[in-house]
Amino acid sequence: MFFEVAAPQRAVQVGFMVERRAFLKWVLCGIAAPLGAGAGGIAGTPSAAEEIAPSEPLRSFALGDPAPFDPSMVTEAARSLSKRPFKPLVADIPGMFRDLSYEQYATIRERPGTAIWAAENTGFSIAPLHRGFIFSNPMEISLVYDARARRVIYDQALFDFDRLATPSNIGDLGFSGFRVLAQGQGGFSERAIFQGASFFRALAPGQTFGTMARAMSIKTADPRGEEFPAFRSVWIERPTLAAGALVIHALIDSESVTGAYRFTLRPGDATIIDTECTLFARVAVDSLGLATMSATHLSGPLDERRDDDLRPSVSEVTGLQMLTGKGEWLWRPVANRNTLQISTFVDESPRGFGFLQRDRNFDHYQDDDQHYETRPSLWIEPIGDWSAGGVQLVEIPSVSEANDNIISFWKPKQPLAAGSETFFAYRQFWCWNPPEQPPLAIATQSRSGRGSSSKRRRFVVEFAGDILSAPENSEALKANLSAAPGSIVAVRTFTSTDKKTCRVLFEIDPGNETYCEMRLVLEAGGKPMSETWLYRWTL
């Protein structure tokens, strides 16, 4: 009986290995080939019996030939790719697209009714994005249905170029990425964009795009120079209305690391993206960033203004929230610095971290175009044990709101060894408010200004929360405040049980130092009443 069972299993396995080899050959050969060189698809033309069901073909974008697909093939492709020398993407595009300004590029849109799956009641639609401007790298996009993948073919006629003069036939340019639209009662609405290197962003209903995520970062703010891993190919599974989720497989490549990623996107009151990745190191990597995020912060109430902007604040992130492995809630406001600042919050098995936009008051931004008060918060929830490492915060000086100058990520303590394979998983919440919040008072305002002498700097931090409404807590409340180097002077607290707030006013005297690390937590009876507020003042 053993051999009777084994024989057909071997036949299936051999067939699968042949399909896997064909898949790997297509991926590895296509890495350095211009799009259009193999426009037929990822394998040869199948028999009629293998064709995808009639409901699958698009109404607009043509598809290449179907080829077998299994998620494990992406992992195997990343593994095989890591054993080969790195070859940069072929990013040649006609000069008329390469030299576009942002404003010109933004006028290129897909024509109405051409989004993939828009008329098929799947709950999602996909809108491929044109190449141009800084988005010159190609991203191969394939659709997966019934264990078969078919490449989406570029078609110039499906894009509206507005006033741009384009030749009548520019060939197969491929795509720079894609938009994800989710179906709701009012039709389709944009929920995510995957475009440029390994960047992607998402939002919740009623929000505008802000914080950007990366699948992976390497050597960020490192004197050796940063690497930018890039999506080589993506495979998007055909969704169903009942499942309510969109699954995206991605192959990522860089000089040091390759990766096989699986993103599972679920729209709702928040957009949740489960991220699973297997990383393959070509060389030893000592500066890996996981769950990387970046955002713009040009000015805010903690910054010494260097401009003449009429807007009180120009910022899409208020600060970095962290929930440590030991259960301590930390809050670190961000700032636009005079010099590059890198802060590392050492931890083990972190329970969560992310960029939050806590200030939702339009009056604090006064921007009718950008609406920074509607930018999403991004909360990361690690899945599994991430062991030792630290949440790293990078603050880069900036004079333009076009720059994402605030960056954060988890940096593992253990470097990736050359030839190693490492798995990580985490959940992203693109939301108005994170799913898990401190059961304590939170810092709702942080402000800074000139102190009582030329060397001193004055700060006020306001905490708010239901815990501050109890009279017994209010009477016993004290501010546990420290600074190093430097000293704290003139500490005063103002508590209101009616408003459920406590304001802490103080000054720092850095002496002859050029920086000062501060730590503040409200306590009553030896127990914390607030999250821990952290901040670094720099000259």
Side-chain angles (χ1 to χ4, degrees):
M1 183 176 292
F2 173 81
F3 289 101
E4 291 176 353
V5 174
Q9 283 181 338
R10 174 174 171 76
V12 172
Q13 185 179 32
V14 170
F16 183 74
M17 289 174 64
V18 171
E19 293 174 346
R20 181 184 295 272
R21 290 194 193 104
F23 179 89
L24 292 176
K25 182 178 179 181
W26 170 77
V27 170
L28 298 177
C29 292
I31 287 299
L35 282 170
I42 66 175
T45 303
S47 65
E50 292 177 309
E51 290 290 346
I52 291 177
S55 61
E56 171 58 15
L58 305 177
R59 296 175 55 205
S60 49
F61 285 95
L63 299 178
D65 295 334
F69 178 84
D70 182 89
S72 64
M73 292 178 173
V74 182
T75 303
E76 184 58 34
R79 179 182 292 112
S80 299
L81 188 60
S82 71
K83 298 175 182 178
R84 298 186 173 205
F86 173 71
K87 292 183 179 180
L89 286 163
V90 177
D92 290 343
I93 54 173
M96 62 165 297
F97 293 115
R98 183 185 63 247
D99 300 332
L100 293 176
S101 67
Y102 170 76
E103 289 74 16
Q104 291 173 317
Y105 174 74
T107 64
I108 304 176
R109 304 288 289 182
E110 71 276 4
R111 293 190 181 278
T114 62
I116 298 168
W117 298 321
E120 298 184 38
N121 202 31
T122 64
F124 293 90
S125 65
I126 302 296
L129 296 170
H130 206 281
R131 296 171 67 194
F133 180 48
I134 62 173
F135 304 110
S136 58
N137 284 345
M139 180 192 296
E140 195 117 314
I141 302 173
S142 297
L143 307 182
V144 178
Y145 178 76
D146 196 22
R148 292 289 188 268
R150 302 178 74 177
R151 185 170 78 85
V152 180
I153 307 298
Y154 171 85
D155 186 343
Q156 178 182 354
L158 302 181
F159 289 93
D160 182 353
F161 296 94
D162 195 41
R163 299 180 182 179
L164 295 176
T166 59
S168 58
N169 184 9
I170 55 180
D172 184 0
L173 288 185
F175 308 104
S176 65
F178 58 94
R179 297 189 300 137
V180 176
L181 298 94
Q183 188 174 358
Q185 293 182 347
F188 284 95
S189 61
E190 202 167 29
R191 280 302 184 96
I193 298 177
F194 288 74
Q195 185 183 36
S198 67
F199 292 97
F200 62 99
R201 59 177 68 186
L203 41 63
Q207 293 185 332
T208 53
F209 282 115
T211 291
M212 184 98 67
R214 298 190 215 175
M216 174 178 25
S217 59
I218 301 174
K219 295 188 288 190
T220 301
D222 192 305
R224 296 171 293 179
E226 184 169 7
E227 284 184 32
F228 289 93
F231 292 116
R232 298 282 191 170
S233 304
V234 297
W235 295 264
I236 308 173
E237 294 186 15
R238 189 181 193 276
T240 64
L241 193 63
L246 183 71
V247 177
I248 302 164
H249 305 273
L251 175 65
I252 292 179
D253 192 18
S254 76
E255 292 93 326
S256 302
V257 180
T258 67
Y261 278 71
R262 177 189 173 101
F263 303 98
T264 304
L265 186 150
R266 296 180 177 86
D269 292 337
T271 295
I272 299 173
I273 302 180
D274 287 342
T275 304
E276 304 163 79
C277 62
T278 303
L279 306 181
F280 302 88
R282 280 193 172 97
V283 298
V285 178
D286 61 1
S287 187
L288 172 69
L290 291 172
T292 304
M293 61 193 79
S294 59
T296 295
H297 177 88
L298 189 63
S299 62
L302 279 172
D303 296 292
E304 297 182 49
R305 296 298 291 263
R306 300 186 295 271
D307 55 24
D308 192 28
D309 199 319
L310 63 82
R311 297 169 295 179
S313 290
V314 180
S315 178
E316 56 191 17
V317 56
T318 312
L320 172 65
Q321 176 92 75
M322 292 164 277
L323 176 57
T324 71
K326 294 183 178 180
E328 183 180 12
W329 286 94
L330 306 178
W331 174 250
R332 170 61 155 78
V334 300
N336 187 4
R337 306 292 183 165
N338 292 320
T339 58
L340 173 67
Q341 297 294 314
I342 301 175
S343 305
T344 301
F345 306 93
V346 178
D347 198 5
E348 187 164 350
S349 302
R351 292 166 55 182
F353 65 94
F355 279 165
L356 305 190
Q357 182 67 311
R358 280 186 173 172
D359 192 345
R360 299 295 185 182
N361 190 332
F362 170 82
D363 293 338
H364 296 169
Y365 302 97
Q366 294 286 330
D367 194 322
D368 296 283
D369 295 314
Q370 297 299 326
H371 284 287
Y372 288 110
E373 75 280 0
T374 64
R375 302 298 170 100
S377 292
L378 173 55
W379 179 251
I380 304 296
E381 184 180 278
I383 298 174
D385 185 5
W386 280 20
S387 300
V391 176
Q392 193 159 100
L393 174 66
V394 179
E395 296 167 298
I396 305 171
S398 177
V399 295
S400 170
E401 62 192 283
N403 298 330
D404 276 7
N405 61 315
I406 309 296
I407 306 169
S408 186
F409 49 86
W410 173 259
K411 183 178 180 180
K413 180 179 179 180
Q414 182 68 37
L416 298 183
S420 64
E421 301 183 9
T422 311
F423 177 81
F424 292 97
Y426 54 92
R427 177 167 291 169
Q428 296 180 335
F429 294 87
W430 300 80
C431 53
W432 290 97
N433 295 297
E436 188 173 5
Q437 300 184 55
L440 306 164
I442 64 171
T444 55
Q445 289 192 57
S446 304
R447 310 187 71 85
S448 175
R450 177 170 48 85
S452 57
S453 70
S454 59
K455 283 191 174 183
R456 293 181 178 180
R457 192 75 183 165
R458 181 172 294 170
F459 289 82
V460 60
V461 181
E462 180 175 294
F463 294 93
D466 290 340
I467 197 170
L468 300 179
S469 64
E472 61 274 18
N473 289 337
S474 177
E475 294 170 1
L477 204 63
K478 69 172 185 177
N480 188 342
L481 178 60
S482 62
S487 59
I488 301 289
V489 296
V491 181
R492 303 169 65 193
T493 60
F494 304 88
T495 303
S496 171
T497 54
D498 293 337
K499 295 180 180 180
K500 304 176 185 178
T501 62
C502 179
R503 292 167 57 86
V504 182
L505 181 67
F506 62 94
E507 294 186 5
I508 60 166
D509 187 343
N512 295 322
E513 301 290 345
T514 58
Y515 78 100
C516 179
E517 297 280 5
M518 291 169 276
R519 182 182 181 92
L520 167 64
V521 60
L522 298 181
E523 295 180 343
K527 297 181 180 180
M529 294 290 110
S530 73
E531 63 187 4
T532 301
W533 178 91
L534 305 171
Y535 190 68
R536 174 187 295 171
W537 169 84
T538 56
L539 186 62

